[in-house]
Amino acid sequence: MIRIQEILDLASAKNKDVNLELIQKAYVYAAAAHAGQTRLSGEPYLSHPLAVAHTLAELGFDEPTIAAGLLHDTVEDTGTTIDDIADNFGDEVADIVDGVTKISKIVFDNKEEAQAENIRKMILGMTNDLRVIMVKLADRLHNMSTLDFQKAYKQKRIAQETMDIYAPLANRLGLYVIMRKLEDLSFKYLRPDVYNQIEHWLEAHQVVEKNFIQKVVGMLEEILSANGIEGRVYGRIKHKYSIYKKMQAESLTLDEMHDIMAFRVIVKDVKDCYAVLGFVHQKWRPVHGRIKDYISTPKANGYQSLHTTIIGPDAERIEVQIRTEEMHQQAEHGFAAHWLYKEHGRVSSKDLKQFAWLNEIFDRQRDEADSKDFIRSLKLDLFQDEIYVYTPKGDVKELPEGATPLDFAFHIHTKVGQHCAGAKIDGKLVPLGTPLTNGCTCEIITEPNREPNRDWLKLVKTARARNRIQHYLRTEERLRAVALGREMLEKEGRKVSINAVRAAKEGHLAIVAQDMNFDSMDDLYAAVGYSHVTPRKILNKLYAVLHPGEPAPGTPKSVQEAVAEPADGQAQRRSPGGVGVAGVDGVLMRFAKCCSPIPGDPIVGYISRGQGITVHRADCPNVPNMEPERLISVHWEGEEEKPYAAGIFIIAENVRGTLAPIAQALADAEINIDELNLKSTVEGRSHMRLKVEVKNATQLYDIIERIRKLPNILEIVRDREDIDAPNP
């Protein structure tokens, strides 16, 4: 367990004027508040706030932030109140603690909604002080580092949430040290098979890689010395998740991987950065298109550096980053670096004008009534790198990589986007879905009668444009749904001799709407128009209002019974021990063939017309293309005593006797092979795709690890694309 003296020493080293008494006082208070509490690991609970405070001190934060790190769980987990914190430590510390205190008194429909609202509160807390998010990130970092003590399904859920929200948020704030750790820890639990494969490969090659790094560092140091430039050089292997992303993007195996080493040259000033870049290119040939100048055009989070990829010694592709010391602090610690250079006062979002994207999030959240919609939009904002596009007048607009002219139009103004009829890039007419490039000039052509349509959603990449289009479509669709619902109700009413028009005028239909928890008559009509409720159900309730005590003319089936009717015989009723939907029983469930989810996988449900709910893995490649309004939260309710289909992909040496040990390992683990596809390559390798039957994800990953250790196995991963065609 970290000792308080280590934190005090770190804080003193970063800031000579630090108020150590405040940190010491917070430690004593937290120790008393958490006395007797333990974590799942068996350690004293105090070990957690100490670890959070140590991370904050390591990054150079001020004493109120470090104190808040020590106290951040006292309000949630002990009898302490925010007023107690304010009385003992001042409003500044209390505000930060309040910003990171979890929601506990509000009742939500399900855990997913609760967590979405919690993240939303965290983001909004940043409007007052960015240190709120830093304490949250430090808190999540330590929780991820002790995730081994959680149950398997919680490990995956927490890891997925970290990969979706916290790691990208750290990236956008320039906190690359935190980002890399969060990504690798999440990767470890989300794809343990690939994580272990990369880890084993790095261990096997560590001596060679270490010698190569020392060789290149020495050559870069010689360049500095020969040209009289003061600086320092170091190299490292890129982190595991970064290697995995590169493998995925370029469809490479580990043995085919290059460019996994990064070298940094830290110099005194900007002119030395450009000088070193020139000397490096004199020494080694640069790779075309891989030179990036983030000094003259910084990233949105303030990141500055020169990047170049060269063909270095032994014809190895290597990346070299060149920056000043201050740029390096900014690159590693993001907005946290501002505390290292600010002598007095409090750093807040107003001091950090480069985080313009935050203002967009703050503005947009007021338009997003649903927390889960807000989180989906937030993911779009967090995941993408930036490009810079010019208006015809020369103004620079920042957009995510892959953005289109339609994104650009909505970025300028909502009305410009809504009436966008065409676009020019660098003076040439282009389709609205054409990707913009860094440094291009975009001109938008508008027409007053032009209106958004649903196809536009396929063309945009930004949350702003998507939200504006969806808002317009929802408004228009609601008007149509209200009109359609009114017409359907009146038409169905005539069949059973109920005058729905008169019932609406006399207020009887309003009574039904209130009884069914609709806020207005229009809401009731819209529900009918959207097919959320049948006209007969409304009319039965209306008949009861008009004729108390009399039976309705015909009793419709319940909504659940209607959902449970198979349209084509393909759906199967799931038992209560399989997958559940909060608040609903007996709904038809089936597992998607495109991703074959098994117990332990993060999952999501998709409402299929006439087929009940199809369960997909949350990382299924088909999910992002589905209609968001038809996605539903589902969960594992327990493991049935039945096999689940799963895929395994193996690359092995094409030699005699390779398949037999694999089959024996599966038999020993009592795992049945359903299908086996084997293909030999010209390189002397065998590609094996197996469909097996397992009880859960733990059993699947255990057998993957056993097969990995067999002779002649080069690579083994869980097959992400099933043998069968996708069928959402």
Side-chain angles (χ1 to χ4, degrees):
M1 189 168 78
I2 293 170
R3 297 179 296 112
I4 185 60
Q5 191 58 49
E6 296 176 54
I7 297 171
L8 297 174
D9 291 344
L10 265 176
S12 299
K14 297 286 185 179
N15 182 3
K16 62 180 179 180
D17 298 322
V18 66
N19 180 1
L20 295 178
E21 291 182 7
L22 180 69
I23 300 174
Q24 181 71 45
K25 182 180 177 182
Y27 164 70
V28 173
Y29 192 97
H34 292 296
Q37 295 180 348
T38 58
R39 289 172 62 81
L40 291 176
S41 62
E43 288 185 297
Y45 192 89
L46 188 62
S47 63
H48 173 62
L50 280 168
V52 172
H54 186 273
T55 296
L56 297 168
E58 202 170 29
L59 290 171
F61 275 93
D62 53 8
E63 61 273 15
T65 313
I66 299 172
L70 288 164
L71 300 165
H72 77 279
D73 272 341
T74 54
V75 174
E76 180 191 359
D77 295 334
T78 74
T80 304
T81 66
I82 287 295
D83 289 339
D84 293 335
I85 300 295
D87 291 342
N88 285 278
F89 301 97
D91 291 338
E92 189 173 6
V93 174
D95 286 345
I96 301 174
V97 172
D98 188 41
V100 297
T101 299
K102 298 179 176 68
I103 297 174
S104 57
K105 296 181 181 180
I106 303 176
V107 178
F108 295 99
D109 292 338
N110 54 59
K111 290 183 179 180
E112 180 184 353
E113 184 178 337
Q115 184 57 17
E117 184 61 29
N118 193 29
I119 293 171
R120 181 174 184 147
K121 184 182 180 185
M122 174 188 71
I123 296 295
L124 300 185
M126 293 161 57
T127 58
N128 297 322
D129 195 332
L130 284 170
R131 290 173 291 184
V132 169
I133 186 59
M134 190 59 246
V135 178
K136 265 290 193 184
L137 289 171
D139 171 57
R140 177 52 62 109
L141 178 61
H142 185 249
N143 283 335
M144 287 298 299
S145 67
T146 57
L147 205 56
D148 278 344
F149 300 99
Q150 292 283 0
K151 294 180 179 178
Y153 76 94
K154 284 189 176 182
Q155 289 176 346
K156 290 188 178 294
R157 177 180 62 78
I158 294 169
Q160 190 65 58
E161 179 184 271
T162 302
M163 190 69 88
D164 286 347
I165 299 295
Y166 291 93
L169 188 55
N171 175 49
R172 288 303 301 266
L173 291 170
L175 296 158
Y176 294 117
V177 171
I178 303 297
M179 178 204 74
R180 288 192 290 266
K181 292 178 180 178
L182 289 176
E183 284 185 340
D184 275 357
L185 287 167
S186 301
F187 181 36
K188 174 182 176 182
Y189 294 100
L190 293 175
R191 296 300 308 274
D193 51 341
V194 185
Y195 179 92
N196 290 332
Q197 178 188 343
I198 293 174
E199 187 172 53
H200 295 158
W201 188 88
L202 291 174
E203 287 175 359
H205 293 78
Q206 63 179 333
V207 174
V208 175
E209 303 297 348
K210 183 178 179 181
N211 291 339
F212 186 81
I213 288 173
Q214 289 177 343
K215 178 180 179 179
V216 175
V217 166
M219 297 176 79
L220 288 169
E221 287 174 340
E222 287 178 10
I223 289 175
L224 296 183
S225 177
N227 293 281
I229 298 174
E230 292 184 31
R232 56 191 177 93
V233 181
Y234 67 95
R236 63 174 178 85
I237 301 291
K238 293 180 179 180
H239 66 295
K240 297 180 184 68
Y241 184 65
S242 176
I243 293 173
Y244 169 69
K245 285 196 297 183
K246 187 175 179 67
M247 290 171 63
Q248 292 290 99
E250 300 181 18
S251 301
L252 300 173
T253 65
L254 275 169
D255 288 333
E256 296 168 335
M257 283 288 291
H258 297 281
D259 191 18
I260 65 169
M261 287 168 283
F263 296 85
R264 289 185 181 141
V265 182
I266 315 298
V267 294
K268 289 180 61 177
D269 51 42
V270 172
K271 66 178 179 60
D272 286 343
C273 292
Y274 289 99
V276 171
L277 180 66
F279 294 134
V280 168
H281 286 173
Q282 287 178 15
K283 178 84 173 173
W284 295 294
R285 178 169 59 87
V287 177
H288 179 70
R290 296 296 300 271
I291 303 171
K292 297 180 181 179
D293 185 353
Y294 293 119
I295 293 180
S296 61
T297 310
K299 289 188 177 184
N301 56 25
Y303 176 88
Q304 289 183 288
S305 188
L306 295 176
H307 290 196
T308 182
T309 300
I310 58 173
I311 307 299
D314 305 328
E316 191 75 30
R317 285 164 61 112
I318 57 176
E319 183 182 62
V320 180
Q321 301 170 358
I322 308 164
R323 57 180 71 142
T324 66
E325 187 65 50
E326 187 169 343
M327 290 175 190
H328 181 61
Q329 291 295 336
Q330 174 72 28
E332 291 297 289
H333 302 144
F335 79 85
H338 287 257
W339 271 267
L340 300 178
Y341 296 100
K342 192 175 180 71
E343 294 181 4
H344 302 288
R346 163 178 168 165
V347 179
S348 68
S349 56
K350 293 181 181 179
D351 297 296
L352 304 176
K353 295 180 181 179
Q354 71 266 37
F355 296 111
W357 59 276
L358 278 175
N359 294 326
E360 169 67 21
I361 292 176
F362 300 148
D363 291 340
R364 195 181 61 251
Q365 64 83 23
R366 287 186 281 269
D367 299 329
E368 292 284 1
D370 186 271
S371 295
K372 287 181 281 187
D373 284 344
F374 176 70
I375 298 306
R376 281 193 288 268
S377 298
L378 179 64
K379 289 179 184 179
L380 288 175
D381 283 319
L382 297 183
F383 269 117
Q384 295 156 328
D385 291 330
E386 311 81 30
I387 60 172
Y388 300 91
V389 180
Y390 291 91
T391 69
K393 294 183 178 179
D395 296 330
V396 179
K397 302 295 181 181
E398 178 192 308
L399 291 163
E401 193 173 25
T404 66
L406 204 49
D407 291 299
F408 184 77
F410 278 99
H411 189 80
I412 294 172
H413 197 278
T414 299
K415 289 186 177 180
V416 175
Q418 287 180 346
H419 299 300
C420 178
K424 293 181 180 180
I425 296 179
D426 294 331
K428 295 181 180 180
L429 279 170
V430 296
L432 291 178
T434 304
L436 298 168
T437 56
N438 201 31
C440 73
T441 298
C442 186
E443 179 183 354
I444 301 299
I445 302 167
T446 60
E447 291 180 2
N449 297 327
R450 185 71 175 217
E451 295 178 348
N453 60 68
R454 188 162 292 278
D455 287 340
W456 281 13
L457 292 172
K458 301 175 184 177
L459 305 179
V460 296
K461 302 297 182 183
T462 62
R464 179 190 180 96
R466 182 173 295 275
N467 289 335
R468 295 295 184 266
I469 295 168
Q470 287 177 331
H471 178 74
Y472 179 88
L473 294 175
R474 279 196 297 264
T475 302
E476 293 299 308
E477 286 177 357
R478 178 177 165 78
L479 292 174
R480 288 194 291 270
V482 169
L484 177 62
R486 184 185 287 110
E487 180 183 342
M488 291 170 64
L489 201 59
E490 292 171 3
K491 183 177 180 180
E492 191 70 19
R494 286 193 290 271
K495 294 180 181 179
V496 292
S497 301
I498 296 178
N499 191 327
V501 177
R502 182 191 300 169
K505 289 181 179 179
E506 294 177 353
H508 297 118
L509 199 55
I511 295 173
V512 174
Q514 184 177 8
D515 182 58
M516 297 182 71
N517 295 319
F518 290 112
D519 292 334
S520 67
M521 295 270 291
D522 279 353
D523 286 347
L524 182 146
Y525 289 135
V528 175
Y530 284 128
S531 297
H532 294 162
V533 62
T534 64
R536 288 298 298 271
K537 185 172 184 178
I538 302 293
L539 291 169
N540 284 341
K541 289 184 176 293
L542 179 57
Y543 189 91
V545 172
L546 295 172
H547 307 283
E550 296 183 22
T555 304
K557 294 182 179 180
S558 71
V559 175
Q560 286 191 11
E561 287 172 343
V563 172
E565 291 183 357
D568 55 9
Q570 293 180 357
Q572 312 169 31
R573 182 180 300 279
R574 302 294 304 142
S575 71
V579 177
V581 182
V584 179
D585 296 321
V587 178
L588 280 173
M589 293 278 187
R590 63 178 187 144
F591 293 119
K593 294 182 179 180
C594 53
C595 55
S596 301
I598 58 179
D601 287 334
I603 52 175
V604 65
Y606 182 72
I607 302 172
S608 304
R609 292 187 179 94
Q611 297 181 5
I613 296 173
T614 305
V615 180
H616 291 260
R617 280 165 51 188
D619 61 351
C620 174
N622 288 326
V623 169
N625 299 320
M626 295 176 182
E627 299 175 35
E629 58 270 19
R630 291 171 62 191
L631 292 173
I632 186 172
S633 176
V634 295
H635 56 271
W636 296 105
E637 290 187 329
E639 298 180 14
E640 295 186 31
E641 291 299 320
K642 68 177 291 294
Y644 292 81
I648 298 176
F649 179 71
I650 302 172
I651 299 177
E653 296 287 355
N654 189 10
V655 296
R656 182 180 300 175
T658 299
L659 185 58
I662 296 173
Q664 187 61 51
L666 290 165
D668 292 344
E670 299 182 351
I671 295 174
N672 184 49
I673 302 175
D674 253 1
E675 292 182 24
L676 170 62
N677 289 340
L678 193 148
K679 179 181 177 182
S680 298
T681 69
V682 293
E683 295 89 0
R685 294 179 176 181
S686 293
H687 288 191
M688 305 180 201
R689 181 165 266 122
L690 295 85
K691 184 188 284 187
V692 298
E693 294 180 344
V694 295
K695 296 177 182 178
N696 50 45
T698 301
Q699 187 184 30
L700 175 62
Y701 289 125
D702 283 347
I703 192 61
I704 285 175
E705 280 303 300
R706 289 176 63 180
I707 294 174
R708 186 194 312 284
K709 297 174 183 177
L710 296 175
N712 305 319
I713 302 299
L714 301 176
E715 185 174 338
I716 176 171
V717 295
R718 181 176 180 179
D719 202 358
R720 299 178 68 86
E721 295 185 8
D722 199 80
I723 296 169
D724 293 316
N727 183 13

